[in-house]
Amino acid sequence: MKLQKLCYFAYGYHLAWEDRQLFPERFEAWANGPVVYELYDQHRGQYQLKAGDIAGNPSSLDQGEKESIDTVLDSFKAYNAHELSAMTHRPGPWLLARKRAGLEDDLQRSNEELLDADIADFFGALVGRED
């Protein structure tokens, strides 16, 4: 779960800082916060991951992508998975997606996608970006 939330924050801040997606996969408004299904599926049932367990090629990232990821990892590394999940439940893109899906509480299942426009607005406000 921590990997999912770190990816969400990296994606959101990157979208605000660079005005472009960090990766093409979409976040869904699951009960425990934003989740990329493909990432979930790849690590299903694994509760501890080592660096080599995570697929991808860091050398394919450009400088802006690396900076976004490094900044988020450095800023959020002290938080555990449940603290990060709680942060995603505050008013913002996850809650907007769940409302669009007509969900009444945090326990209901959903695969409603978070919209990039909502993510960009939310994280843009956090970093003080003016559109």
Side-chain angles (χ1 to χ4, degrees), residues 65-122:
E65 293 164 340
K66 289 176 188 175
E67 288 175 8
S68 294
I69 292 167
D70 288 344
T71 300
V72 167
L73 290 178
D74 189 51
S75 299
F76 289 91
K77 66 184 173 190
Y79 296 100
N80 68 38
H82 295 288
E83 291 169 322
L84 293 171
S85 182
M87 289 179 199
T88 68
H89 282 73
R90 295 180 184 146
W94 175 83
L95 197 55
L96 290 170
R98 293 189 62 83
K99 285 183 181 178
R100 267 195 320 277
L103 303 174
E104 300 294 324
D105 62 51
D106 291 356
L107 302 176
Q108 291 178 278
R109 293 178 179 257
S110 171
N111 63 351
E112 181 76 21
E113 286 187 6
L114 278 68
L115 303 177
D116 272 356
D118 292 340
I119 296 170
D121 288 347
F122 178 77

Side-chain angles (χ1 to χ4, degrees), residues 8-24:
Y8 171 70
F9 287 114
Y11 184 92
Y13 280 110
H14 184 74
L15 196 56
W17 292 326
E18 299 278 330
D19 199 29
R20 60 188 171 104
Q21 294 179 332
L22 184 57
F23 46 82

Side-chain angles (χ1 to χ4, degrees), residues 1 3-9 11 23-30 33-44 113-114 119:
M1 183 165 59
L3 177 61
Q4 288 282 351
K5 303 317 167 229
L6 290 171
C7 286
Y8 171 70
F9 287 114
Y11 184 92
F23 46 82
E25 291 78 13
R26 311 306 311 142
F27 284 95
E28 298 177 359
W30 287 23
V35 171
V36 171
Y37 177 79
E38 294 84 352
L39 185 61
Y40 166 81
D41 192 46
Q42 183 177 13
H43 300 291
R44 183 185 310 220
E113 286 187 6
L114 278 68
I119 296 170

